[in-house]
Amino acid sequence: MKTADSPPPTTPSYFSHELAARTQASEIELNGSTVAYWTYEPVQATPETRTILVIHGFRGDHHGLLRVADQLPGMRIIMPDLPGFGSSGAFASGTHSVEHYGTFITDFMAALGLGPDTVLLGHSFGSIVAAHFVAAHPGAVSPLILINPIAAPALEGPKGIMTKLAVLYYRLAARLPRRLGLALLRSPLIVRVMSEAMAKTPDKELRRFIHGQHHAYFSAFADRDSLLESFTASVSGNVAEVAGQLSLPVLLIAGEKDEIAMLPDQRRLAALLPDGTLKVIPGVGHLIHYETPAPAAGFILTFLKDHPA
């Protein structure tokens, strides 16, 4: 497991010089588990500065959203590694379910003194966790921002076959002897195939950067059991389940070529939201946070100006 203060193997050209100066790494103990988190202070605080709590996706950690954080120098951004991923330990007790991750958000916000003016942002699996948290805790945050949101059941529709194959992959890895199971889960070949499938950019240097990020961080999970539980949660829930309960302003940022969170599903989700806004970024798939952080950050800034604290 990487330590909370270990530097990421980044390509300098993909990050500003300001990002390192804004960064503070921290750890806290929550319910018997160590949680690592990073705070990115604003370059200069203004009346428009907001605190944004970021919930990353499945098998990711805080590194995945760094390029988006870098594009928001006027905001205070807090990004934990979810329990079971990155430098955070697994839950000391209980399953790694959507509901339990929601409890984590409650406890984490309380520990850091984050109030209802906190903006909540979730990416991919993090969108499920964030949406279900908001549905269960109205008024706890405002507004809600979802990047590449999981808008429909993963086991249904055109992507259902691939999801079912992924289910078999994770179940097999959990049942094999420990060394073989971990080798399968952390296989560089499988990680690379996944990375190649999701990357849509024709930019060869950017693709190399993306593959390097996945190689460095996609296998930083606590253990096989927590990973299988988290995967089960990621394919068992979606944002549309609770869309009608999300009465706060919600921004959806979708990728035109997203094969995991498909655009038609995003449009249906937007129609279900009482106060939803859908923005689509052309030419990108499920890796908005890596490939098009600047347009995403632009949508976020406009949205927050339209919905001040």
Side-chain angles (χ1 to χ4, degrees):
M1 180 178 293
K2 298 175 179 63
T3 60
D5 58 355
S6 62
T10 58
T11 301
S13 61
Y14 289 107
F15 298 93
S16 74
H17 296 298
E18 296 173 335
L19 186 63
R22 296 173 58 199
T23 305
Q24 178 181 346
S26 308
E27 286 186 348
I28 57 171
E29 294 294 320
L30 282 181
N31 302 317
S33 300
T34 300
V35 175
Y37 69 97
W38 285 257
T39 304
Y40 303 86
E41 298 292 351
V43 173
Q44 182 175 354
T46 71
E48 293 184 343
T49 296
R50 305 285 295 276
T51 295
I52 305 175
L53 174 59
V54 176
I55 308 300
H56 65 73
F58 175 69
R59 284 191 74 160
D61 63 15
H62 74 285
H63 292 100
L65 279 297
L66 274 180
R67 294 199 74 203
V68 176
D70 198 13
Q71 295 289 329
L72 298 168
M75 299 295 159
R76 178 175 183 248
I77 299 170
I78 300 174
M79 303 201 300
D81 284 352
L82 290 179
F85 296 101
S87 296
S88 293
F91 286 128
S93 61
T95 60
H96 294 71
S97 62
V98 171
E99 182 181 12
H100 201 169
Y101 279 121
T103 300
F104 161 76
I105 294 177
T106 297
D107 295 341
F108 184 79
M109 289 184 64
L112 271 63
L114 300 179
D117 57 343
T118 302
V119 179
L120 185 60
L121 184 155
H123 171 255
S124 190
F125 173 53
S127 73
I128 303 174
V129 173
H132 281 251
F133 167 79
V134 170
H137 302 86
V141 298
S142 186
L144 176 63
I145 299 169
L146 305 178
I147 300 177
N148 295 120
I150 305 302
L155 295 171
E156 298 177 6
K159 61 185 180 297
I161 294 176
M162 294 303 298
T163 302
K164 290 172 184 175
L165 289 175
V167 170
L168 292 175
Y169 165 71
Y170 282 102
R171 287 180 178 173
L172 174 62
R175 292 172 181 171
L176 286 171
R178 183 177 182 276
R179 179 178 291 183
L180 287 176
L182 288 174
L184 180 61
L185 289 170
R186 291 178 169 142
S187 166
L189 176 60
I190 291 177
V191 171
R192 181 57 179 264
V193 169
M194 173 279 305
S195 189
E196 289 283 2
M198 289 197 293
K200 303 303 179 187
T201 177
D203 185 325
K204 293 182 179 179
E205 286 295 327
L206 180 54
R207 291 182 75 93
R208 274 194 285 270
F209 168 77
I210 291 168
H211 300 330
Q213 292 284 293
H214 284 142
H215 176 75
Y217 305 120
F218 200 68
S219 296
F221 52 85
D223 54 64
R224 291 187 296 169
D225 291 338
S226 61
L227 185 66
L228 178 59
E229 291 172 356
S230 298
F231 173 74
T232 301
S234 74
V235 299
S236 300
N238 61 82
V239 178
E241 293 173 319
V242 295
Q245 302 172 52
L246 305 178
S247 57
L248 77 176
V250 180
L251 172 64
L252 309 177
I253 304 178
E256 177 194 24
K257 296 183 177 180
D258 196 335
E259 296 167 344
I260 296 175
M262 302 177 72
L263 188 53
D265 293 330
Q266 306 294 334
R267 299 193 190 282
R268 283 189 285 270
L269 173 59
L272 294 173
L273 293 167
D275 187 5
T277 300
L278 172 63
K279 296 296 183 181
V280 180
I281 301 179
V284 67
H286 204 64
L287 302 182
I288 285 174
H289 54 309
Y290 281 139
E291 296 188 27
T292 55
F299 290 139
I300 290 169
L301 290 174
T302 299
F303 183 69
L304 294 180
K305 287 180 181 178
D306 292 341
H307 301 90

